[in-house]
Amino acid sequence: MPALSAAAATWKTGRLLPRILVAVGIVLRAAQYLADRSLWLDEACLATNILRRGGRDLLRPLDLHQAAPPGFLVLEKLAVELLGPSEYVFRLLPLLAGIAALLLFYRVATRTLPPAGASLAVALFALGDPLIYYASELKPYSVDVAVALVLLYAALWFSEAGGAPAWRSTLMLAIGGAAGVWLSYPVIFVLAGLGTTLAISAAVRRDRARLRTLVAIGLIWAGSFYAAYKTSIQAASESTWLTAYWLPNFMPLPPRSLADLSWLPNRLGAMFGDPVGFVFRGLGVLTLLIGCTALYRGHRERLALLLSPLCFTLLGSGLRKYPFYGRLLLFLVPFLLLLVAEGAERLRALTAEAAPSIGVILFGLLVFHPAAIGLRFLLHPRTREEIKPALAYIRERAAPKDGLYVYGGAAPAFDYYAPRYGFDPGRTIIGNWWREWTAYQKDLAALRGRGRMWFLLCHTRRRDGTDDEEKPFLYLVDGIGRRLESFHAPGAAAYLYDLGAGDSTPARGGER
């Protein structure tokens, strides 16, 4: 049968498996998106800014300690105006960017790696949990990845063009960089790395025509970045609160102690856990080093294209312009995975005759954990701070005269969801924001004798799961009233207390 013959031929050339993996990656991203989890703190803060501001106002510094690229904000605002302010709409742009990034990565991997290495790279990208998760979060990290891959693809195309570079790759580089600085903060490091690499390569070859083209492209990038910087980025970069918040994540430059000297290797190693998503970080580092060695011997320009964005990001961190931390580095993941896949493929090829099982085990160790996590979240999509069930529970069970106290960490999400669930702002007390116990005590002291009062808690833990404040906060509440019932959802909870001297209508339930 012709169709089966064509499929067999495609499989033999190594093109079918990466395509299957791309399809799997799209399914995983769509499943997480369709789970429609509640907006968590940072998403709710950003959504509130988008809802309450006009297009021009989005270019001013955002409220609630938020920052996002102007182009990203404008596109989000346009989507909301056209389709409505639902979670699906807010997360649509990250989803589309995540799928586009997956397709672009497939093109880059199959262009630069042998079939087995390309399949491994696409598998790691398609199944990588951070890449899946951020493709359905109201944050620009997924867009960062897509923009970086557009530019990497264009740079590789430009690099491989013989003689004068192809006009299409030139146009893609110029337009992609000019538009990218409006859509992504860290794209400037990608542009600096790719542009510097291509320029040095052209200078070494004494290719004046290529150099002139790169200078013209660089001027276009610089002009667009200057406009974006003056329009919006400068104000966001001057936020003293954000600078203080991210202070531990700026590279010490110059290093002044042993701790400063250990900062760089520790952070580079940590990258393989978050945001790359490896469990066996040492194996990831080893295969990356092998990949770098192999490319240094045969494809130095490609090696520089893949490593230079990381180097410029570290420089930006040392200058206190960009934190070197977790999700903010998601845009570097494609570059690292290509190097990891290059190293794994070289090791597999070297041992293929003497010990073919080494390659199988190596590939299996690299892919097993992402695949297991991907399957787990396909069956049970990730949740974070599920405030919607808690709000529905309160709405269903509250008596007419019940009051509502919203814990400070739940305030942004409550602000977004309150109209949907019909809560009366006049009967709602918004607690303090940033974990100040004396302020909590003052809040609670004012609630004595208020009768039945609901307490809505959310975002009581830090991102790493430490410093959970729910129990100590409830300890304070227990000191002024009697707990009647409670409800728990992932990352959120609702409690009903009788604070005395008020409506003592009996509770209609118990613990849930």
Side-chain angles (χ1 to χ4, degrees), residues 32 35 373-383:
Q32 184 63 63
I373 294 295
L375 178 60
R376 172 188 171 189
F377 287 129
L378 176 64
L379 300 175
H380 306 285
R382 181 200 293 262
T383 57

Side-chain angles (χ1 to χ4, degrees), residues 75-91:
L75 289 175
E76 285 286 349
K77 183 68 174 181
L78 181 61
V80 169
E81 292 290 335
L82 292 175
L83 303 173
S86 72
E87 296 94 321
Y88 284 131
V89 173
F90 274 120
R91 290 170 175 152

Side-chain angles (χ1 to χ4, degrees), residues 310-332:
L310 170 62
C311 297
F312 276 96
T313 304
L314 284 168
L315 178 60
S317 176
L319 297 174
R320 297 194 173 188
K321 297 299 181 183
Y322 194 79
F324 198 85
Y325 175 79
R327 60 193 184 276
L328 301 180
L329 306 176
L330 194 71
F331 72 100
L332 292 174

Side-chain angles (χ1 to χ4, degrees), residues 282-334:
L283 186 59
V285 173
L286 174 63
T287 50
L288 180 136
L289 292 175
I290 294 173
C292 290
T293 303
L295 288 178
Y296 182 80
R297 293 173 178 173
H299 298 280
R300 294 186 183 182
E301 185 174 347
R302 186 184 301 169
L303 174 62
L305 289 172
L306 295 176
L307 278 183
S308 55
L310 170 62
C311 297
F312 276 96
T313 304
L314 284 168
L315 178 60
S317 176
L319 297 174
R320 297 194 173 188
K321 297 299 181 183
Y322 194 79
F324 198 85
Y325 175 79
R327 60 193 184 276
L328 301 180
L329 306 176
L330 194 71
F331 72 100
L332 292 174
V333 170

Side-chain angles (χ1 to χ4, degrees), residues 364-435:
L365 287 174
L366 289 171
V367 173
F368 174 76
H369 182 260
I373 294 295
L375 178 60
R376 172 188 171 189
F377 287 129
L378 176 64
L379 300 175
H380 306 285
R382 181 200 293 262
T383 57
R384 186 156 186 176
E385 294 175 359
E386 287 303 308
I387 196 172
K388 287 191 288 187
L391 287 170
Y393 183 85
I394 296 174
R395 182 73 281 163
E396 175 189 350
R397 303 180 67 81
K401 294 184 180 181
D402 286 356
L404 174 61
Y405 177 95
V406 178
Y407 173 83
F414 175 80
D415 196 19
Y416 172 79
Y417 286 112
R420 184 184 303 183
Y421 289 90
F423 284 97
D424 180 7
R427 297 188 60 80
T428 302
I429 300 170
I430 304 298
N432 289 280
W433 248 95
W434 294 114
R435 300 180 163 100

